[in-house]
Amino acid sequence: MNRRSFLKSLSIAGGAAAVLPSDTWATITATMKPDRPVHNKILVAHRGASSYAPENTIPAYMLAIKQGADLVEQDLNITKDGILVCIHDVSLEATTNIEDVFPDRFEEKTVGGKMVKTWPIHKFTMAEIKQLKAGSRTDGQFPATTIPTWQEAIDAIRGKAGLCPEIKSLPEYKKLGFDMEKMVADTLRKNGLDKRGADPNTPIVMQCFHHDRMLALRKNGIDLPELWLRSKRVKDVMGDIKTAKKLKFEWIGPYKTDATKEFVDAAHAAGIKVMPYTFRPADKAEGFTDLRAEMAHYLYDNGIDALFTDNPDMFPRR
Ligand code: G3P
Ligand code: CA
């Protein structure tokens, strides 16, 4: 497949893998190049190269590109003052030093019958969040970093790789008056990225676990490939293929062990591509001791089209 026809179908670009974690941050940034070869199996960096750098930060995104990511994932949430930011959790304590910076601003929640402190992201402004250090895996390799706005992530990634933004879900956002799908759509439009092929060097696949929220993106004028994520708790993933077809989703994203050959063949027969999650060292499927071999099995035996991994450098190209 040549570059033009491939970009027409999805607009994916990628690059050569590197051996990490031995590179320094300076080496990484100095060697990033936008002219990247095209691949037919798509490597999505899960929260960036999150095995090596603080997840959902600019260093993790840049390292993912250096390691050859075709698409770089951002999980999206919203601050108190209505800014889209890149963070997986709806609270700040797991990935930042908020307990040191705002020790008294916690709420309490019950987890497993125990009261724990939590610092919800929608209770903090962007200016407050920028005072926090994101990530604990700096190890001297990465500069001190902060939670990026989505706009900062777009500015850093576009032209070098594609984007795979996930709309995260929190009922409070609606109560606070935020229309998240409109905010996402407005940001894409402002950046000239709201239509497929708008920037051939920046392909985009939108993703969400909730199909109604992707349909809301369409209502907001977005025309981009959509990945419908399915929880590992879903019982009838084969049935979801029919739903995905009916709703005209181009991609389906099951939990990886649901991406059997039977599932992938059925999805392909329905014209739907398969992008399971998440391939990482600590969470290998039963029977696999080697992450690269696990990814190769799903890609080349079962026939998936793409996958999410924390370790882009381990992605087995053929
Ligand atoms: O978006 C794909 C995968 O990231 C879904 O799981 O919880 O890591 O966002 P999660
Ligand atoms: Ca995600």
Side-chain angles (χ1 to χ4, degrees):
M1 185 183 289
N2 66 30
R3 183 175 175 83
R4 180 170 290 276
S5 58
F6 191 73
L7 291 178
K8 210 170 161 196
S9 69
L10 178 59
S11 305
I12 297 295
V19 178
L20 275 195
S22 61
D23 288 5
T24 63
W25 173 248
T27 309
I28 289 161
T29 50
T31 56
M32 280 170 40
K33 293 208 169 53
D35 51 334
R36 302 154 69 77
V38 170
H39 301 124
N40 62 351
K41 298 283 185 186
I42 296 162
L43 162 51
V44 188
H46 182 247
R47 313 178 193 175
S50 54
S51 263
Y52 308 113
E55 66 180 50
N56 276 315
T57 64
I58 300 296
Y61 298 154
M62 294 300 98
L63 181 53
I65 295 166
K66 173 67 167 50
Q67 291 185 338
D70 299 305
L71 303 178
V72 180
E73 185 198 28
Q74 303 90 52
D75 295 295
L76 299 181
N77 276 292
I78 308 176
T79 65
K80 183 180 179 180
D81 48 344
I83 310 288
L84 287 166
V85 283
C86 305
I87 181 169
H88 176 270
D89 297 1
V90 294
S91 60
L92 293 153
E93 61 275 8
T95 55
T96 75
N97 61 340
I98 190 139
E99 294 191 47
D100 301 332
V101 182
F102 298 106
D104 305 325
R105 297 262 306 271
F106 63 87
E107 293 181 356
E108 290 187 324
K109 67 175 180 183
T110 312
V111 178
K114 270 179 67 181
M115 244 359 170
V116 296
K117 292 178 183 175
T118 185
W119 284 257
I121 190 151
H122 66 280
K123 295 288 172 76
F124 292 84
T125 64
M126 195 66 238
E128 288 170 336
I129 287 166
K130 279 293 183 188
Q131 295 172 41
L132 308 175
K133 281 188 187 145
S136 55
R137 291 187 51 114
T138 52
D139 292 339
Q141 263 203 76
F142 294 93
T145 192
T146 58
I147 292 176
T149 65
W150 190 32
Q151 184 60 56
E152 288 169 339
I154 293 170
D155 291 342
I157 297 165
R158 77 173 301 169
K160 304 183 188 85
L163 304 166
C164 193
E166 181 185 350
I167 298 177
K168 285 296 188 189
S169 177
L170 189 71
E172 274 76 0
Y173 293 150
K174 260 211 174 99
K175 288 186 210 153
L176 287 166
F178 296 133
D179 181 341
M180 190 168 187
E181 289 74 34
K182 182 173 185 313
M183 291 166 67
V184 169
D186 286 347
T187 302
L188 288 166
R189 223 176 340 266
K190 191 178 88 184
N191 286 278
L193 294 170
D194 52 316
K195 307 276 186 240
R196 62 188 69 219
D199 177 355
N201 289 316
T202 313
I204 300 179
V205 177
M206 301 304 299
Q207 46 156 341
C208 191
F209 280 96
H210 307 280
H211 56 59
D212 53 327
R213 306 192 72 199
M214 284 198 295
L215 299 182
L217 274 181
R218 286 185 202 169
K219 282 197 184 130
N220 277 284
I222 299 305
D223 172 25
L224 291 170
E226 298 149 331
L227 167 67
W228 183 30
L229 296 167
R230 308 308 301 127
S231 159
K232 68 193 325 183
R233 291 184 295 276
V234 165
K235 298 260 181 329
D236 183 19
V237 281
M238 294 299 277
D240 284 343
I241 293 170
K242 288 195 196 102
T243 309
K245 187 176 165 72
K246 199 169 123 204
L247 296 175
K248 299 191 168 54
F249 293 136
E250 288 160 58
W251 290 85
I252 192 162
Y255 182 68
K256 61 185 175 183
T257 51
D258 287 330
T260 60
K261 186 161 190 330
E262 184 195 10
F263 177 88
V264 176
D265 287 348
H268 287 170
I272 296 165
K273 289 172 280 200
V274 183
M275 187 191 297
Y277 64 94
T278 299
F279 291 82
R280 44 169 52 139
D283 186 25
K284 290 189 279 297
E286 204 180 326
F288 291 97
T289 52
D290 179 79
L291 179 63
R292 195 185 290 271
E294 184 198 16
M295 289 195 270
H297 167 71
Y298 283 93
L299 286 164
Y300 303 110
D301 298 338
N302 292 7
I304 62 171
D305 305 278
L307 58 75
F308 289 90
T309 180
D310 293 1
N311 297 63
D313 59 326
M314 303 287 283
F315 188 80
R317 300 277 187 204
R318 280 188 189 164

